Amino acid sequence: QVQLVESGGGLVQAGGSLRLSCAASGRTFSSYAMGWFRQAPGRERDFVAGISRGGSMIYYADSVKGRFTISRDNAKNTVYLHMNSLKPEDTAVYYCAADALKVTATPREYDYWGQGTQVTVSS
């Protein structure tokens, strides 16, 4: 079992920034690819960003490319999502997830999920 706990969400005005953190415990963190997803009410859970086990392969959704940055610190068992130039449409619950195989954009392929952290961007 892997436990994932997101933090860092909150209320921010459009154009502002937030940094989300995802702290992992349980099995070896470095053996998992990690992803960030988000879900707004009544909508699908969408891929935001993903990072490989060693951090060398990184992928972003087109909607956040150039604004968000994913990173990981395996020594701290933590994945980060730095969010800049936030827009109201970024408002959602943000989830981190762990994948034992590789980075994908498909939620069902991830093995573990956090409980999510709310990000609200005011207009």
Side-chain angles (χ1 to χ4, degrees), residues 10-71:
L11 175 64
V12 64
Q13 293 187 10
S17 300
L18 286 173
R19 187 185 76 167
L20 306 184
S21 299
C22 175
S25 62
R27 297 182 180 178
T28 304
F29 174 75
S30 61
S31 67
Y32 291 89
M34 300 295 297
W36 283 98
F37 295 78
R38 65 188 182 187
Q39 187 169 22
R43 289 176 163 78
E44 296 289 314
R45 186 168 297 188
D46 294 327
F47 173 77
V48 176
I51 187 167
S52 62
R53 293 183 298 172
S56 61
M57 295 188 295
I58 294 175
Y59 303 92
Y60 297 101
D62 288 341
S63 59
V64 306
K65 192 172 298 182
R67 300 189 297 120
F68 291 10
T69 302
I70 187 172
S71 62

Side-chain angles (χ1 to χ4, degrees), residues 37 106-111 113:
F37 295 78
T106 305
R108 69 177 181 86
E109 295 184 356
Y110 283 77
D111 301 296
W113 292 85

